[in-house]
Amino acid sequence: MKEYDGRVRLVFKDRPLASHALARPAHEAARCAGALGKYWEYHDLLFEAQPAFARADLLAYAGEIGLDRAEFARCLDERRFAAEVEADVGQATALGILATPTLLVNGHLIQGAPPLDTFRAIIEQALRARR
Amino acid sequence: MRRAPGPARRSPRVYTIGLASALALVLWAAAAAAQVQLTITASMARGPATAAVTIIEFSDYQ
């Protein structure tokens, strides 16, 4: 992202897979962290820690990045962001996105994670198209 | 004289099912091609909203 600073916007959208039993709580937990101001820190931690997404793990990660554990636990246990996660899933389904990761680069769909050089080329092409 | 059997005739019901499936396929394809309104949660976005390129990643954490 740094090499494209100011020229690229990255947006994460939830697409928990049904085959991953603890996926939804993890996605809801990340949104709880976002509500407390540390979405990306928690997002990065989840990817590092996968697939350890039991409730105790999710709470521990919140503590690791300095979130208010009581507030975070309340958010998680209330499933405060369940509807938002479901909304993202609905949008993914509407787009026919069944596998992850799937990217949309200025609306063009790319399935899977391309190698870094390929990804750069895709971004460069999209930047050229916008000039 | 026994008449030779003619070509098997499909019942009207088979044709109806076939037509319904074809129509469903066309409608599905049209829906998939239609624009889908995507919402962006501000805390889950990095970079300026005015950026020339927007990358939206649908992903699972596992």
Side-chain angles (χ1 to χ4, degrees), chain B residues 36-52:
Chain B
V36 175
Q37 191 79 12
L38 296 181
T39 53
I40 293 176
T41 301
S43 62
M44 295 165 70
R46 270 176 164 163
T50 53

Side-chain angles (χ1 to χ4, degrees), chain A residues 5-48:
Chain A
D5 210 25
R7 296 182 290 164
V8 173
R9 188 182 195 199
L10 176 65
V11 177
F12 189 89
K13 289 189 69 67
D14 296 311
R15 185 57 180 105
L17 299 177
S19 55
H20 300 152
L22 298 177
R24 270 206 198 231
H27 284 264
E28 292 174 23
R31 284 180 178 261
C32 287
L36 295 171
K38 292 197 176 181
Y39 173 77
W40 288 104
E41 292 88 339
Y42 200 88
H43 159 284
D44 292 349
L45 203 45
L46 286 177
F47 274 114
E48 285 173 20

